[in-house]
Amino acid sequence: MSEIEEELVEAGDGETLLYDYFKHLTSLCIVSLGGVLALVSGGKNLPPNAVIAVLLVLALAGLLSFSGAGEIVRARFQRRPVHKSLNLCRIAAPVLLSVGVGMFVYLFTRTLQP
C-alpha cells in the first residue's frame, strides 16, 4: 500500500475499506466462475439449467461488486458523495456470491457421486 492509502485507512476512511472489499469480492467471483466453467468442461453430465443458474448468480455478484468499486472511484474522482446504490451493492454482492458458491459446491458434489 502507498503512504496515501495507509493514511486513509488509518484515518478510518470507510470508502477505502469498502473499495478493497469490492476488489476482493470481484476476484472471488471471477475465480468461482472459472471453477464452474472448469467443472462443466470436465465432461460430467450436469443439468444445463443448473449450470446456467450458477453462472448467472456468480456473474451478477461480480457485476455488483465491480459496480460498487467503480462507484467509489467515480465519486472520489468527481469529488461528490457516493450514490445510494452502493449500499445495495455492499449487501447483495456477498449474498449472491455465497448463494453461487453454495450452488457450485452442490454441483461439484454431484460430479463425485457415481
Side-chain angles (χ1 to χ4, degrees):
M1 251 194 296
S2 70
E3 291 180 27
I4 295 171
E5 289 175 334
E6 289 175 4
E7 289 175 10
L8 288 173
V9 171
E10 287 176 6
D13 185 12
E15 286 180 2
T16 302
L17 189 61
L18 191 57
Y19 177 78
D20 285 340
Y21 178 68
F22 281 136
K23 281 192 321 187
H24 293 294
L25 278 178
T26 303
S27 298
L28 287 172
C29 292
I30 291 170
V31 169
S32 299
L33 282 168
V36 172
L37 294 175
L39 183 67
V40 170
S41 68
K44 290 287 185 174
N45 194 6
L46 295 170
N49 291 341
V51 173
I52 291 171
V54 172
L55 290 173
L56 286 176
V57 169
L58 289 174
L60 184 58
L63 181 67
L64 286 173
S65 58
F66 188 74
S67 298
E71 170 58 25
I72 292 171
V73 170
R74 184 204 59 78
R76 285 278 176 100
F77 181 74
Q78 295 178 348
R79 300 187 192 284
R80 294 186 180 166
V82 294
H83 195 267
K84 295 175 185 177
S85 65
L86 188 66
N87 199 38
L88 172 70
C89 293
R90 182 184 61 84
I91 294 169
V95 169
L96 287 170
L97 178 61
S98 299
V99 169
V101 168
M103 294 166 69
F104 169 67
V105 169
Y106 170 74
L107 287 179
F108 179 72
T109 56
R110 284 192 55 172
T111 63
L112 298 177
Q113 297 172 354

